[in-house]
């Protein structure tokens, strides 16, 4: 039995990404053979590994990934201390299934859930820079203009946690389309509020090359190999398909 880092084993079991597993360990939520684990711990197949007291099956689980049209009002956690509805309540019961990144409680739209810890790391680590595209509806006496939105893309915007820059931003009826290459907490909301256009509704319609399309609120579907390819390699999606998806989004939410 070859020892491996505890966070790697948890990721391989589909519990969470390695980074999220490290946070679980630091928070004291993981035990190994009855002892609270610490970062740097190595384990083998013979060890009893538990999360919040529940035994973790550390053998590799089948890798499955879903896309969900997350409804507003659902939190993007596997467990909520306040008993609020979470996104796993909207999904079939699959061991190791966990959300990929976050979409805040008041927001809706495309959310990935997977048992594949390596996919979670790829989609959430800043170095990979996977795009996330949003449709925002804003409040105020006037709609945001292109001149207003240029402040999101020119690098001049500074939030409390550092500079923020969108890849693209364009006006829409009663709001804007905004594309990010990063995913900080409530970033689109904070950026638009900073330029005087607070958000009243926020929907994510694309992650990488994967689009929400015609999915309805609360609907989910399992991704096949083609979907995963589009997700991870948007540059390989044929231009005609990309244009058709964009037209569909504009028609539905433009």
């Amino acid at each position: 039995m070859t020892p491996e880092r505890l966070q790697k084993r948890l990721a391989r079991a589909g519990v969470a990404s390695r980074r999220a597993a490290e946070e679980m360990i630091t928070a004291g939520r993981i035990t190994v053979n009855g002892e609270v684990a610490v970062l740097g711990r190595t384990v083998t197949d013979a060890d009893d590994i538990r999360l919040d007291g529940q035994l973790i099956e550390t053998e590799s689980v089948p890798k499955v990934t879903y896309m969900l049209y997350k409804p507003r009002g659902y939190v993007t956690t596997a467990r909520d201390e306040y008993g609020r509805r979470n996104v796993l309540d909207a999904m079939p019961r699959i061991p190791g299934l966990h959300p990929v990144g976050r979409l805040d409680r008041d927001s809706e739209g495309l959310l990935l859930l997977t048992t594949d810890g390596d996919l979670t790391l790829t989609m959430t680590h800043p170095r990979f820079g996977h795009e996330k595209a949003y449709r925002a509806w804003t409040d105020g006496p006037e709609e945001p203009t292109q001149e207003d939105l240029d402040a999101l893309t020119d690098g001049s915007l500074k939030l409390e946690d550092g500079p923020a820059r969108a890849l693209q931003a364009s006006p829409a009826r009663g709001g804007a389309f905004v594309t990010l290459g990063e995913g900080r907490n409530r970033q689109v909301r904070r950026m638009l509020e900073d330029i005087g256009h607070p958000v009243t509704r926020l929907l994510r319609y694309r992650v990488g090359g994967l689009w929400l399309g015609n999915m309805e609120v609360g609907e989910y579907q399992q991704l096949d190999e083609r979907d995963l390819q589009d997700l991870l390699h948007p540059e390989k999606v044929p231009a005609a398909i990309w244009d058709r998806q964009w037209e569909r989004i504009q028609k539905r939410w433009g």
Side-chain angles (χ1 to χ4, degrees):
M1 292 180 286
T2 304
E4 65 180 336
R5 295 278 184 175
L6 176 57
Q7 60 266 35
K8 183 178 180 181
R9 178 60 64 89
L10 291 170
R12 189 158 60 83
V15 173
S17 69
R18 292 188 195 181
R19 185 169 57 174
E22 289 173 355
E23 293 174 355
M24 292 176 179
I25 296 169
T26 302
R29 297 177 60 192
I30 307 295
T31 61
V32 178
N33 302 327
E35 298 180 351
V36 176
V38 297
L39 285 177
R41 177 69 188 260
T42 59
V43 294
T44 69
D45 291 338
D47 289 310
D48 179 299
I49 304 171
R50 295 177 183 262
L51 167 62
D52 297 331
Q54 293 191 322
L55 183 66
I56 299 299
E57 290 291 341
T58 57
E59 292 299 320
S60 295
V61 298
K63 293 181 179 181
V64 292
T65 302
Y66 290 85
M67 59 185 294
L68 165 72
Y69 187 147
K70 174 196 167 302
R72 280 178 283 182
Y74 282 67
V75 294
T76 311
T77 59
R79 178 189 297 266
D80 182 67
E81 59 182 310
Y82 302 108
R84 297 172 295 183
R85 292 175 298 179
N86 69 68
V87 292
L88 292 184
D89 294 332
M91 301 298 298
R93 301 297 183 211
I94 298 175
L97 191 69
H98 60 270
V100 179
R102 292 183 179 272
L103 192 57
D104 70 67
R105 182 187 180 191
D106 297 326
S107 298
E108 63 188 281
L110 200 164
L111 179 72
L112 298 171
L113 299 102
T114 188
T115 61
D116 186 345
D118 290 331
L119 177 66
T120 302
L121 177 63
T122 299
M123 295 306 303
T124 57
H125 198 287
R127 75 172 180 266
F128 295 106
H130 288 289
E131 291 184 1
K132 300 176 180 66
Y134 301 83
R135 168 61 159 104
W137 287 260
T138 58
D139 194 14
E142 297 181 358
E143 298 181 355
T145 65
Q146 186 61 61
E147 184 178 2
D148 294 332
L149 296 172
D150 286 344
L152 306 186
T153 60
D154 65 12
S156 63
L157 198 64
K158 292 180 174 57
L159 303 177
E160 63 271 18
D161 54 353
R165 187 171 191 168
L167 298 177
Q168 295 177 326
S170 60
R173 187 175 61 252
F177 289 105
V178 180
T179 302
L180 300 181
E182 56 182 349
R184 286 143 61 182
N185 185 43
R186 299 176 70 87
Q187 185 172 345
V188 174
R189 292 180 181 274
R190 292 187 291 138
M191 292 174 75
L192 284 167
E193 184 172 7
D194 195 77
I195 63 170
H197 296 282
V199 173
T200 59
R201 179 187 177 191
L202 185 66
L203 176 142
R204 184 162 68 196
Y205 63 85
R206 179 173 63 84
V207 176
L210 191 67
W211 299 71
L212 190 61
N214 291 325
M215 291 182 69
E216 299 296 335
V217 177
E219 184 181 354
Y220 62 84
Q221 65 183 49
Q222 185 173 346
L223 303 189
D224 58 23
E225 287 301 318
R226 175 60 183 271
D227 295 326
L228 290 169
Q229 173 78 2
D230 291 347
L231 171 68
L232 295 169
H233 302 285
E235 73 282 358
K236 296 182 180 180
V237 177
I241 294 177
W242 191 276
D243 291 343
R244 186 160 59 247
Q245 291 282 15
W246 173 232
E247 288 173 4
R248 182 178 294 163
I249 294 300
Q250 286 183 304
K251 182 177 181 179
R252 185 174 183 184
W253 288 297

